[in-house]
Amino acid sequence: MAARTKTTAKPRPAYRCTECGNQLPKWVGRCPECNAWGTVEEYGAVPIRTTAAGPVSSPAKPIGQIDGQVATARSTGVPELDRVLGGGLVPGAVVLLAGEPGVGKSTLLLDVAAKAASDRHRTLYVTGEESAGQVRLRADRINALSDHLYLAAEQDLGAVLGHIDQVSPGLLILDSVQTIASAELDGAPGGPAQVREVAGALIRASKERGMATLLVGHVTKDGQIAGPRLLEHLVDVVLSFEGDRHARLRIIRGVKNRYGATDEVGCFELHDEGIIGLADPSGLFLTRRDKPVPGTCLTVTLEGKRPLVAEVQALMVDSQIPSPRRTTSGLESPRIAMILAVVERHGGVKLGKQDIYTATVGGVKLSEPSADLAVALAVASSSTDTPLPSNLVAIGEVGLAGEVRRVTGVQRRLAEAHRLGFTHALVPPDPGKVPPGMKVVEVADIGEALRAIPGRRRAAAKPRGAAGEPRGAAAEPAAPGRSDAPARALELARRAAERPVPAHAEELMEGWEPLDSDELL
């Protein structure tokens, strides 16, 4: 009987992307990780391995016996950041804060590092983009000095881990993850393989030590976080730091949060002395005036769960070119074009030969549809050069048929407007509970919204007929050869005068005057 021989399978060839280091079982023309073409090359064999059962670090327990106190969040000292994080930093949590250059990421985190440092919880701030002296100058400017705040300038992952062993911090801030590289891997800092290795090593150190970690991340030209998408999956919290560099307002939004909700936002104001949190940022979005001016309307927008009162402005001038301009700032151009079409078609406001400019105040960007009604009223107010009441807010989405639709959180918006002293509001039907002492007018379409504005009674008395004739007098002209034509015309005029005819929106707009808000419905 022939003896059986044990054969082993030949090692399979392995392939690796020279751009990002991604390993593949077979050759492909395009790397699925970094989407680079022609970078996959064969480099060796992948040994066939099997993993045997090994010792466990700790036995599994019923979930009810797990101590949840070890994961209690600790405040960062910045209430607006705590709001977005869900109460503070959880020990062992890794947070990725990404934003455009110059938005204020380093300034905010240096302030957090100083306020979170204490004798029981040291803070280690590692910078890979600046020298230690440059960071010290910024700390002097924003008064972010603490005896328990340690600063190091490093670009090597091994050196960063050495500082962690030496300081034993409770909070690590790394600015930024794209500037740190590992000597064990080839490639420049910021590459997908380097970012993945640096993030993985810091996450392991954070979990083992119970150390909270804040990583600063760069963004690409289209606003996405630079590096592999795996980075966002590895970390516990992903925050986006937004703001126009020409405005003072900065907003932090939660993109991912394993310890809280992602519908909270934090508002900050950037100035020469640093960055401070704004518990009530609505004042940045309003213009203080002694008297109302035409072309402005106030609305209430929701940033996550947070209601903010914002001001929308519109300006209309006669166009000097065949194609009138349509310019927006802080608003979405396609949506403004739709609102202008609805105002002209269903509101009767002529916009064809006018240059129209629409903008927001304070650098805020309004993307939700609740500002549609305010934009429509601002455009209508500018077209007649007549201001709206200063204590009026408008909330609602405008559809293509001219209807005013409901939006989410109407009660929360009205409560915020009432808290800031606004006494009147135009809202869609069925707004729910209204704050006591606030007068709310429900409008079903854009025509009702225009008729609800002060001045409607004076405008309704003006006829639309040519040369001042009553409406309806020219609707049925007398037939030729009829002897009772004059009498019939008088009879039609009398009936038209007795019958209540709703005024046209354009006529309503002509009679506007800056009245006291008590004249509102």
Side-chain angles (χ1 to χ4, degrees):
M1 184 175 179
R4 294 182 178 180
T5 59
K6 184 177 180 181
T7 60
T8 58
K10 294 182 179 180
R12 296 175 297 175
Y15 301 87
R16 180 173 61 185
C17 176
T18 58
E19 182 70 21
C20 66
N22 183 30
Q23 296 183 6
L24 301 169
K26 62 179 182 179
W27 184 89
V28 293
R30 184 179 183 180
C31 176
E33 182 68 26
C34 64
N35 296 326
W37 289 92
T39 59
V40 178
E41 298 178 355
E42 182 178 355
Y43 75 98
V46 177
I48 302 176
R49 301 171 181 171
T50 58
T51 303
V56 298
S57 57
S58 60
K61 299 179 181 179
I63 191 171
Q65 298 181 8
I66 303 298
D67 185 12
Q69 297 297 325
V70 296
T72 302
R74 184 169 64 93
S75 175
T76 62
V78 181
E80 289 298 306
L81 182 59
D82 292 342
R83 177 199 295 268
V84 185
L85 292 173
L89 287 171
V90 175
V94 180
V95 180
L96 176 64
L97 177 65
E100 295 182 355
V103 74
K105 303 183 298 296
S106 301
T107 302
L108 174 63
L109 292 185
L110 184 57
D111 185 45
V112 171
K115 292 181 178 179
S118 63
D119 55 350
R120 297 180 55 188
H121 300 280
R122 298 177 179 178
T123 300
L124 174 61
Y125 190 101
V126 179
T127 175
E129 300 179 346
E130 303 172 277
S131 66
Q134 291 174 324
V135 178
R136 170 59 194 269
L137 291 178
R138 185 188 304 116
D140 291 334
R141 177 171 57 87
I142 66 175
N143 194 20
L145 299 176
S146 174
D147 294 336
H148 305 286
L149 171 58
Y150 292 79
L151 176 62
E154 298 289 352
Q155 293 184 343
D156 180 70
L157 177 60
V160 174
L161 296 177
H163 284 294
I164 294 175
D165 292 337
Q166 180 181 1
V167 178
S168 298
L171 172 62
L172 169 67
I173 297 178
L174 181 65
D175 186 10
S176 64
V177 68
Q178 278 84 9
T179 60
I180 307 300
S182 173
E184 303 296 329
L185 293 179
D186 296 333
Q194 289 286 0
V195 171
R196 183 165 50 243
E197 177 65 20
V198 172
L202 295 178
I203 290 173
R204 288 191 297 269
S206 299
K207 303 300 181 184
E208 293 173 359
R209 297 172 173 270
M211 172 187 64
T213 301
L214 285 170
L215 304 178
V216 177
H218 297 169
V219 296
T220 59
K221 291 185 294 185
D222 56 353
Q224 300 294 326
I225 299 177
R229 194 73 175 182
L230 181 64
L231 177 62
E232 300 179 47
H233 293 282
L234 291 176
V235 299
D236 301 309
V237 182
V238 179
L239 303 180
S240 176
F241 203 14
E242 305 172 359
D244 187 356
R245 64 174 56 196
H246 303 293
R248 296 180 300 169
L249 177 66
R250 300 292 186 267
I251 294 179
I252 292 184
R253 303 179 187 272
V255 179
K256 170 188 174 182
N257 194 347
R258 291 175 177 169
Y259 310 110
T262 57
D263 55 357
E264 287 285 0
V265 297
C267 298
F268 298 86
E269 182 181 8
L270 187 65
H271 50 82
D272 295 338
E273 289 76 23
I275 186 168
I276 59 174
L278 296 176
D280 189 6
S282 295
L284 291 178
F285 312 143
L286 303 177
T287 303
R288 305 298 180 184
R289 304 184 183 93
D290 297 333
K291 295 181 180 180
V293 298
T296 64
C297 187
L298 301 178
T299 186
V300 185
T301 181
L302 279 182
E303 292 288 348
K305 293 182 179 179
R306 195 169 191 175
L308 302 175
V309 177
E311 180 178 339
V312 178
Q313 296 181 341
L315 177 64
M316 297 177 57
V317 295
D318 293 335
S319 180
Q320 305 298 326
I321 57 177
S323 299
R325 297 182 180 91
R326 301 290 188 264
T327 306
T328 63
S329 176
L331 299 165
E332 295 182 349
S333 298
R335 193 156 196 91
I336 294 300
M338 183 198 72
I339 296 174
L340 295 178
V342 172
V343 170
E344 186 169 12
R345 175 64 178 84
H346 299 285
V349 182
K350 297 180 180 179
L351 308 175
K353 298 181 179 180
Q354 301 284 325
D355 290 336
I356 303 177
Y357 305 89
T358 56
T360 58
V361 174
V364 64
K365 295 183 179 180
L366 301 181
S367 58
E368 64 165 345
S370 64
D372 291 354
L373 185 57
V375 173
L377 293 179
V379 170
S381 172
S382 178
S383 67
T384 57
D385 198 29
T386 308
L388 298 173
S390 58
N391 53 0
L392 170 70
V393 295
I395 304 169
E397 177 185 0
V398 176
L400 290 179
E403 76 278 10
V404 180
R405 302 172 182 172
R406 294 193 61 191
V407 294
T408 58
V410 176
Q411 299 182 22
R412 194 180 308 132
R413 300 173 196 260
L414 292 177
E416 177 68 10
H418 182 261
R419 184 184 69 84
L420 294 176
F422 296 94
T423 58
H424 294 77
L426 295 180
V427 297
D430 192 18
K433 186 179 180 181
V434 177
M438 190 173 192
K439 296 181 181 180
V440 174
V441 181
E442 302 179 19
V443 291
D445 52 47
I446 190 66
E448 289 188 12
L450 296 178
R451 286 191 290 271
I453 300 300
R456 63 192 183 284
R457 297 182 181 87
R458 295 186 300 281
K462 180 181 178 181
R464 285 192 64 192
E469 294 180 2
R471 186 192 307 235
E476 295 186 31
R482 290 186 55 176
S483 60
D484 60 343
R488 181 171 177 78
L490 292 175
E491 178 64 19
L492 290 176
R494 185 186 62 81
R495 292 179 181 179
E498 294 177 353
R499 183 172 61 250
V501 179
H504 194 267
E506 187 177 357
E507 297 167 357
L508 290 173
M509 307 286 296
E510 283 184 346
W512 282 10
E513 292 181 5
L515 302 178
D516 189 6
S517 59
D518 293 337
E519 299 189 26
L520 199 61
L521 281 178

